[in-house]
Amino acid sequence: MAEPRKILIFDTTLRDGEQSPGCSMNLAEKLEVAKMLEALRVDIIEAGFPIASPGDFDAVQAVAETIENCTIAALARAVDKDIERAAEAVAKSERRRIHVFCATSEIHRKHKLKRAKDEIIKMSVESVRQATEYTDDVEFSPEDASRTEPEFLAEVVEAVIEAGATTVNIPDTVGYAMPAQFGDLIRYLYKHVSNIDDTVISVHCHNDLGLAVANSLAAIRAGAGQIECTINGLGERAGNAALEEVVMAMKTRRDFLDADTNIETAKIYPASRMVSSITGVNVQRNKAIVGENAFAHEAGVHQHGMLADRHTYEIMKPEDIGVPASRLVFGKHSGRHGFEEKIRSLGFTLTDEQLNEAYEKFIVLADKKKSVYDADIEAIIDQQVGLATEVWRLEGLQTTAGTNAIPTATVMLSKEGETITDAATGDGPVDAIYEAIRRITGMKLTLTDYSLRALTGGKDAQGEVTIEVDSDGRKFRARGLSTDIVEASAKAYLAAVNRVLTATNGGKKPPQP
Ligand code: KIV
Ligand code: ZN
């Protein structure tokens, strides 16, 4: 059988994914995700949008300095200062890409850019030329391509290839396209752009109508050579095409798609868990490939079939994507070696110091719980990574509540060696704690979501509190874990405070692509 076509995987979890509400990551978290993407063997990591803020710039620079085996891309508008900043951020990478975008659809031309067609072409060409002064790997995206007049789109694509774009990405920016139509658009470009063979055609599909993966695969059938996607499908609004879905579709239906990727699929599940744990965005239970139910067989008839031959109801094996055979880790007598192995299998790379701290936390937790599960270990690491930029630390808390008592909380926090204690009342113990934290930190965040769940089964399970807060119109999500749910609530709020304080945009709303 002939080798299938190799499709490049361009991961934009750290840019489009991070840009979605509540998904901000700090520098340490971004580096952790970048290392995971490298282990997953994605071809290109879009590390961020350097002009957006000094924090974004630093994160792209750190990823460019750390990651050796992937191309590192930085996003820029078709504007001189954006391109200079992007070039500076990726300068240390041996494999650096500048990704320039300029909207081309009539609605964007008229209402956003207020430019005529010839001006759009001029801006696009000039920006690509400018980017080629810094690297020979330049990607251009005509934003809102799927709503652009096809003849004009072909004109733009031809002009930017002529100017030096080595990849041209066709975004379905608002998730409007239908699979057959999007495939036809790619075919149209192959037919009408005379120099198209000098470039790689990429696609970047949003999921507003739930078609991001279907559209991406239709584009592959039409000849596209790169897919832009994110872990767990994170991204603006309804998200981007999910990496795990496009990759496993190609692997499972190679017979139909005649395409494959370089992805190490056994690292998909750990990558999904890590991104969920770092962003605080849970994966829906029935999510394809990585959802908790993706390989669960409930109906008796299915179970019967599975016992006879697993292929009756299973088109992929859980081990192909790295779902651990057993989620049970071990109890308090487990060794350090086994712990290290577990950390590795979950996809984390920790320094010796981080590993020591994580191990100590594991022992403390194992003392409280009979059995420690993968989710518990992930939570420990999650907090460990978060510690890298911890500003405020919870030193202690006490609450009183009851049917006839006014809920009161006393909270002790420390910052840079100084400890501050304050007390407050509230509608309930959690509200009282949040008020005390507000008083100490001076940060008035609005709580917009609060949820509590047991992380694993059993009455000794840890309670996981996930919250969302609003800080000047920007959403931040954070989690707190403890066998005591009041403490978990306090930790979640404090993690949100720290996240806001270390936010990459320094508190100002950055320009959005
Ligand atoms: O959705 C979009 O059009 C984008 C571009 C910047 C590629 O994210
Ligand atoms: Zn996008």
Side-chain angles (χ1 to χ4, degrees):
M1 211 165 83
E3 277 294 296
R5 231 158 41 92
K6 266 284 182 264
I7 304 301
L8 299 172
I9 293 294
F10 176 114
D11 181 279
T12 182
T13 307
L14 294 175
R15 200 277 298 167
D16 214 318
E18 208 254 350
Q19 195 174 304
S20 58
C23 287
S24 334
M25 298 175 226
N26 62 38
L27 195 143
E29 291 166 337
K30 285 186 181 174
L31 267 182
E32 207 48 48
V33 172
K35 286 186 209 156
M36 165 55 96
L37 294 172
E38 184 177 40
L40 195 58
R41 304 231 310 252
V42 308
D43 300 283
I44 303 111
I45 297 176
E46 185 163 53
F49 185 31
I51 196 75
S53 72
D56 263 46
F57 177 90
D58 292 345
V60 176
Q61 194 167 51
V63 171
E65 277 173 11
T66 311
I67 303 298
E68 290 176 353
N69 299 311
C70 307
T71 296
I72 306 300
L75 186 67
R77 290 169 298 188
V79 176
D80 291 3
K81 64 179 189 329
D82 279 38
I83 295 168
E84 281 160 22
R85 203 75 177 130
E88 205 186 330
V90 291
K92 294 261 168 65
S93 170
E94 292 280 319
R95 292 164 57 180
R96 52 188 173 277
R97 174 178 295 190
I98 299 178
H99 176 191
V100 185
F101 73 98
C102 180
T104 50
S105 64
E106 187 182 12
I107 190 159
H108 280 243
R109 292 193 311 262
K110 272 198 181 149
H111 301 290
K112 189 175 89 173
L113 299 175
K114 301 188 183 3
R115 307 265 177 150
K117 283 182 175 172
D118 56 341
E119 290 175 294
I120 296 288
I121 294 195
K122 189 162 179 283
M123 275 171 80
S124 304
V125 163
E126 280 173 3
S127 62
V128 168
R129 282 211 189 108
Q130 186 190 347
T132 60
E133 287 167 20
Y134 301 100
T135 173
D136 51 17
D137 187 345
V138 175
E139 172 166 332
F140 179 80
S141 288
E143 194 189 8
D144 205 15
S146 55
R147 291 194 299 169
T148 301
E149 307 87 318
E151 307 73 29
F152 179 56
L153 183 65
E155 221 182 303
V156 175
V157 172
E158 183 148 331
V160 294
I161 297 174
E162 176 66 32
T166 42
T167 301
V168 178
N169 178 45
I170 306 300
D172 181 26
T173 302
V174 290
Y176 182 73
M178 293 284 130
Q181 182 189 29
F182 197 58
D184 284 348
L185 177 63
I186 302 299
R187 274 184 212 97
Y188 176 90
L189 293 175
Y190 271 105
K191 196 159 167 211
H192 292 90
V193 175
S194 66
N195 52 3
I196 199 154
D197 292 336
D198 299 343
T199 202
V200 173
I201 290 294
S202 167
V203 289
H204 174 114
C205 299
H206 278 272
N207 207 29
D208 300 66
L209 293 172
L211 294 170
V213 171
N215 284 332
S216 305
L217 296 176
I220 292 302
R221 294 259 294 157
Q226 174 179 293
I227 292 190
E228 303 201 355
C229 47
T230 57
I231 305 284
N232 297 339
L234 292 183
E236 275 285 3
R237 305 179 310 279
N240 288 72
L243 178 145
E244 58 276 11
E245 295 180 26
V246 289
V247 167
M248 289 313 288
M250 281 185 261
K251 187 175 165 95
T252 310
R253 295 306 312 275
R254 192 185 279 188
D255 60 321
F256 183 73
L257 293 164
D258 188 27
D260 203 2
T261 67
N262 288 323
I263 296 297
E264 174 125 9
T265 62
K267 299 233 161 70
I268 284 181
Y269 185 77
S272 160
R273 299 296 314 149
M274 177 197 274
V275 168
S276 165
S277 148
I278 284 181
T279 55
V281 177
N282 291 331
V283 172
Q284 102 198 32
R285 258 176 194 276
N286 60 338
K287 159 97 176 57
I289 317 293
V290 290
E292 236 169 272
N293 291 356
F295 294 96
H297 300 272
E298 186 67 28
V301 67
H302 287 206
Q303 289 178 358
H304 178 76
M306 283 288 291
L307 286 176
D309 179 343
R310 66 194 289 182
H311 297 109
T312 49
Y313 286 102
E314 209 167 71
I315 58 167
M316 294 166 276
K317 296 198 288 294
E319 51 272 32
D320 288 348
I321 61 151
V323 175
S326 153
R327 307 223 170 137
L328 183 65
V329 185
F330 24 46
K332 81 187 246 191
H333 300 298
S334 317
R336 195 194 146 94
H337 183 68
F339 180 75
E340 282 186 43
E341 278 298 304
K342 190 65 189 174
I343 297 275
R344 253 193 295 280
S345 78
L346 290 173
F348 294 97
T349 41
L350 299 187
T351 61
D352 284 349
E353 200 186 328
Q354 286 172 324
L355 200 61
N356 287 341
E357 272 187 51
Y359 187 62
E360 272 168 36
K361 290 206 168 98
F362 161 69
I363 293 296
V364 172
L365 182 66
D367 248 342
K368 290 190 196 161
K369 287 184 92 225
K370 266 205 312 289
S371 312
V372 178
Y373 294 81
D374 283 3
D376 293 314
I377 302 277
E378 283 163 5
I380 290 175
I381 309 298
D382 182 18
Q383 286 168 5
Q384 199 74 32
V385 174
L387 282 183
T389 48
E390 188 178 51
V391 183
W392 288 98
R393 181 187 281 253
L394 180 68
E395 300 295 349
L397 69 88
Q398 204 182 346
T399 53
T400 43
T403 24
N404 295 317
I406 296 174
T408 311
T410 304
V411 176
M412 190 194 291
L413 302 184
S414 66
K415 184 181 166 189
E416 291 161 2
E418 190 195 351
T419 304
I420 306 177
T421 306
D422 208 336
T425 56
D427 292 339
V430 171
D431 189 41
I433 289 172
Y434 288 4
E435 186 51 33
I437 295 179
R438 278 184 208 116
R439 288 166 64 113
I440 297 175
T441 61
M443 307 251 319
K444 305 262 179 276
L445 308 177
T446 313
L447 186 70
T448 49
D449 191 21
Y450 173 100
S451 69
L452 166 66
R453 66 169 188 150
L455 198 57
T456 55
K459 65 179 168 41
D460 62 354
Q462 295 202 85
E464 179 193 65
V465 171
T466 306
I467 63 165
E468 187 181 80
V469 296
D470 184 298
S471 167
D472 290 333
R474 223 184 136 187
K475 305 268 191 224
F476 292 84
R477 294 185 75 79
R479 289 192 214 204
L481 258 301
S482 171
T483 45
D484 170 353
I485 58 171
V486 173
E487 185 180 322
S489 304
K491 282 182 172 171
Y493 195 82
L494 210 53
V497 167
N498 287 332
R499 214 166 252 265
V500 173
L501 286 171
T502 56
T504 50
N505 72 354
K508 280 190 246 103
K509 201 164 171 55
Q512 297 295 313

